[in-house]
Amino acid sequence: MKVKVFVTTKAGVLDPQGAAVEQAVHTMGYSSVEQVRIGKYMEFNIIADNREQAAAQVEQMCEKLLANPVVEDYRYELEE
Amino acid sequence: MKVKVFVTTKAGVLDPQGAAVEQAVHTMGYSSVEQVRIGKYMEFNIIADNREQAAAQVEQMCEKLLANPVVEDYRYELEE
């Protein structure tokens, strides 16, 4: 099963990377770009008996390692 | 319009971050995880007259700034 994980900073948490990219694209002339948020994107394969087991494992990995629950949110997609 | 950009290392390009995460999740007991690839995930809003104009601007930003065309691939999604 293919897993895609998206980790983004929680709303309200300062995103200096996002602010820097926003400034850079404005400088390049794309002044209509707003609210740039930068996060992590992860792809991997996982072997599991069913979707529920895969989901449980992915959530555990996110909670323990892939996302920092204090300042980051995560969501994931499972593809058969 | 909301834009989501996904930047990943090209196939065949070494992904040390991915390898490190793969080893870490194996150590945590998730031995069935394979082929971990880590990339960047970006969200932002853009004002454009239509989808084509938005797509053209996003592609220019990706080519010039958001992705390194030598070692990275990018794809994006536009949401009205």
Side-chain angles (χ1 to χ4, degrees), chain A residues 32-61:
Chain A
S32 75
V33 169
E34 292 171 349
Q35 296 170 12
V36 179
R37 310 283 296 174
I38 310 279
K40 288 173 283 193
Y41 170 65
M42 292 169 247
E43 286 179 6
F44 53 88
N45 295 328
I46 193 168
I47 299 165
D49 297 339
N50 50 54
R51 283 182 77 90
E52 289 67 30
Q53 189 191 50
Q57 289 186 19
V58 170
E59 282 181 28
Q60 286 165 20
M61 283 185 261

Side-chain angles (χ1 to χ4, degrees), chain B residues 40-60:
Chain B
K40 289 174 281 192
Y41 170 65
M42 293 170 245
E43 284 179 7
F44 54 87
N45 295 329
I46 194 168
I47 299 166
D49 298 337
N50 50 53
R51 284 181 77 88
E52 289 67 31
Q53 190 192 50
Q57 289 187 17
V58 170
E59 282 180 27
Q60 286 165 21

Side-chain angles (χ1 to χ4, degrees), chain B residues 17-34:
Chain B
Q17 260 193 322
V21 167
E22 187 160 328
Q23 199 174 352
V25 296
H26 285 176
T27 306
M28 289 165 63
Y30 305 104
S31 51
S32 75
V33 170
E34 290 170 351

Side-chain angles (χ1 to χ4, degrees), chain A residues 6-80:
Chain A
F6 310 87
V7 177
T8 51
T9 45
K10 285 184 189 287
V13 173
L14 201 61
D15 180 3
Q17 260 193 324
V21 167
E22 188 160 326
Q23 199 174 354
V25 296
H26 284 177
T27 306
M28 287 164 64
Y30 304 105
S31 51
S32 75
V33 169
E34 292 171 349
Q35 296 170 12
V36 179
R37 310 283 296 174
I38 310 279
K40 288 173 283 193
Y41 170 65
M42 292 169 247
E43 286 179 6
F44 53 88
N45 295 328
I46 193 168
I47 299 165
D49 297 339
N50 50 54
R51 283 182 77 90
E52 289 67 30
Q53 189 191 50
Q57 289 186 19
V58 170
E59 282 181 28
Q60 286 165 20
M61 283 185 261
C62 286
E63 298 282 341
K64 290 179 189 170
L65 178 71
L66 304 179
N68 175 346
V70 175
V71 290
E72 291 175 329
D73 289 322
Y74 69 86
R75 63 184 178 82
Y76 60 91
E77 295 168 5
L78 300 177
E79 289 177 17
E80 301 287 332

Side-chain angles (χ1 to χ4, degrees), chain B:
Chain B
M1 208 170 298
K2 181 159 193 171
V3 182
K4 296 180 179 178
V5 176
F6 310 86
V7 177
T8 51
T9 45
K10 284 185 190 286
V13 173
L14 201 61
D15 180 2
Q17 260 193 322
V21 167
E22 187 160 328
Q23 199 174 352
V25 296
H26 285 176
T27 306
M28 289 165 63
Y30 305 104
S31 51
S32 75
V33 170
E34 290 170 351
Q35 296 171 12
V36 179
R37 312 282 298 175
I38 309 277
K40 289 174 281 192
Y41 170 65
M42 293 170 245
E43 284 179 7
F44 54 87
N45 295 329
I46 194 168
I47 299 166
D49 298 337
N50 50 53
R51 284 181 77 88
E52 289 67 31
Q53 190 192 50
Q57 289 187 17
V58 170
E59 282 180 27
Q60 286 165 21
M61 284 186 260
C62 287
E63 298 282 340
K64 290 179 191 168
L65 178 72
L66 305 180
N68 176 346
V70 175
V71 290
E72 292 175 329
D73 289 322
Y74 69 86
R75 64 183 179 83
Y76 60 92
E77 293 169 6
L78 300 177
E79 287 178 17
E80 301 287 335

